[in-house]
Amino acid sequence: MSGAGTAAEALRAAVPRLAAAGVEDAPRDARRLLAHAMGIAPDRLTLHLSDRLTTEQQEAFEVTLAARAARQPVSQITGRREFWGREFRVTRDTLDPRPETECLVAAALEEPFSRVLDLGTGTGCILLTCLAERPSATGVGCDVSEAALAVARENAAALGLADRAEFRLSDWWKEVEGRFDLILSNPPYIAEAEMADLAPEVRDWEPRGALTPGGDGLDAYRAIAAQARAHLEHGGRIMVEIGPTQGREVARLFADAGLENVEIRPDLDGRDRFVMGRNP
Ligand SMILES: C[S@@+](CC[C@H](N)C(=O)[O-])C[C@H]1O[C@@H](n2cnc3c(N)ncnc32)[C@H](O)[C@@H]1O
């Protein structure tokens, strides 16, 4: 590949290639990947469209395009995702933090808390955002994936939160000790039967254990609800993200576990997105 073309030319060639591979928003993704290959912020790309790419930049762009054409998510290719205004490292071992999950964080921040637990922490985006927004709080993030925990620890260090965030390998409650005034979780919730219908970006690239607990998709909620009260302070809150059709069943699991003030709340698109309850 020669190093003679401009960024604009590279972009023009990349968009139809990504579109032909079935990428939904090919122009947006091509711009983000080109900016990444050029080592500049995506919002600076327009200023550099007439720049000639170096051979290294062209090669780097080609590698990212091939990955995106194979439907690898942009966040995994660039290794970054913005969540609540902060950058998080993302790898093939972690779920790509979703904008919907910011609704869970917004609800968590509606009341004060001092000790927070995040079950299934992945990149740590939920726990670390809560700690960053509440400078006197401390917390624990648990995950069954040691590889995800390594990413979460890296994110904690990068955000200057390592002294207030502890990460622990745990199958849900197994290694969890003590009580918390806030418990949060975005657990795997896709039913086994729905896995085949997911977009290739999700189904083929994100960790299966982050997507589905198998079966009807509710097993993680069953496990979480069963011991929630044993780990909540009196008056403490628990909030879990859900799939849009799971609100009633998860609310029933919470009520059956003795939680009070059980509520189903929507995301910004108006779809049921999380269930919350309170320990009496
Ligand atoms: C949907 S992802 C959520 C990741 C992150 N909290 C977020 O919102 O982006 C679910 C996470 O739960 C973890 N997980 C799955 N089964 C688990 C279990 N039995 N115990 C603890 N964590 C588990 C997965 O490894 C994954 O990191």
Side-chain angles (χ1 to χ4, degrees):
M1 183 179 282
S2 93
T6 64
E9 286 163 359
L11 197 57
R12 263 199 301 279
V15 173
R17 182 169 160 197
L18 291 186
V23 171
E24 201 173 286
D25 193 341
R28 180 200 59 190
D29 288 3
R31 290 178 70 88
R32 287 167 66 192
L33 294 174
L34 180 56
H36 177 70
M38 293 175 75
I40 58 175
D43 62 0
R44 308 290 293 169
L45 183 63
T46 306
L47 300 174
H48 291 276
L49 282 176
S50 55
D51 290 5
R52 292 207 168 276
L53 297 184
T54 64
T55 304
E56 290 74 28
Q57 287 170 333
Q58 271 202 338
E59 283 172 0
F61 190 37
E62 173 56 32
V63 170
T64 67
L65 282 179
R68 189 68 192 102
R71 305 296 291 273
Q72 187 167 20
V74 172
S75 58
Q76 280 187 14
I77 299 169
T78 63
R80 320 290 318 164
R81 160 69 82 175
E82 192 173 301
F83 183 85
W84 202 275
R86 295 182 183 87
E87 285 270 309
F88 285 82
R89 178 159 159 69
V90 174
T91 71
R92 279 201 76 178
D93 296 308
T94 58
L95 188 91
D96 183 4
R98 306 291 204 268
E100 305 89 87
T101 303
E102 292 182 336
C103 296
L104 185 78
V105 171
L109 295 173
E110 283 173 6
E111 289 185 26
F113 55 86
S114 57
R115 185 124 178 95
V116 54
L117 172 68
D118 177 16
L119 292 168
T121 198
T123 55
C125 62
I126 296 175
L127 175 70
L128 296 173
T129 302
C130 287
L131 296 182
E133 295 295 321
R134 294 291 177 269
S136 60
T138 60
V140 179
C142 293
D143 208 290
V144 79
S145 159
E146 187 62 81
L149 289 170
V151 175
R153 286 190 189 104
E154 211 180 300
N155 282 324
L159 293 168
L161 295 166
D163 56 338
R164 291 193 285 128
E166 181 198 336
F167 291 99
R168 193 174 284 199
L169 188 66
S170 179
D171 181 357
W172 300 132
W173 302 103
K174 234 176 191 161
E175 306 299 327
V176 175
E177 291 155 6
R179 291 183 183 265
F180 300 82
D181 53 2
L182 179 64
I183 296 176
L184 302 169
S185 184
N186 174 19
Y189 56 67
I190 296 168
E192 182 75 50
E194 290 167 359
M195 288 293 290
D197 298 331
L198 295 176
E201 281 83 352
V202 181
R203 187 191 59 221
D204 300 341
W205 291 96
E206 296 206 270
R208 185 181 164 81
L211 300 171
T212 179
D216 65 358
L218 295 169
D219 276 357
Y221 301 113
R222 294 185 181 104
I224 290 170
Q227 288 187 55
R229 288 194 61 201
H231 291 283
L232 274 172
E233 302 282 4
H234 291 298
R237 298 173 295 154
I238 177 166
M239 302 180 185
V240 294
E241 183 167 325
I242 56 164
T245 60
Q246 294 172 320
R248 275 183 44 197
E249 282 149 308
V250 175
R252 186 170 309 124
L253 286 171
F254 273 24
D256 289 350
L259 291 159
E260 291 185 343
N261 304 114
V262 176
E263 238 184 277
I264 306 168
R265 294 247 206 127
D267 59 23
L268 296 174
D269 294 330
R271 289 174 302 190
D272 288 349
R273 186 52 69 186
F274 59 98
V275 174
M276 53 201 287
R278 197 180 286 275
N279 194 25

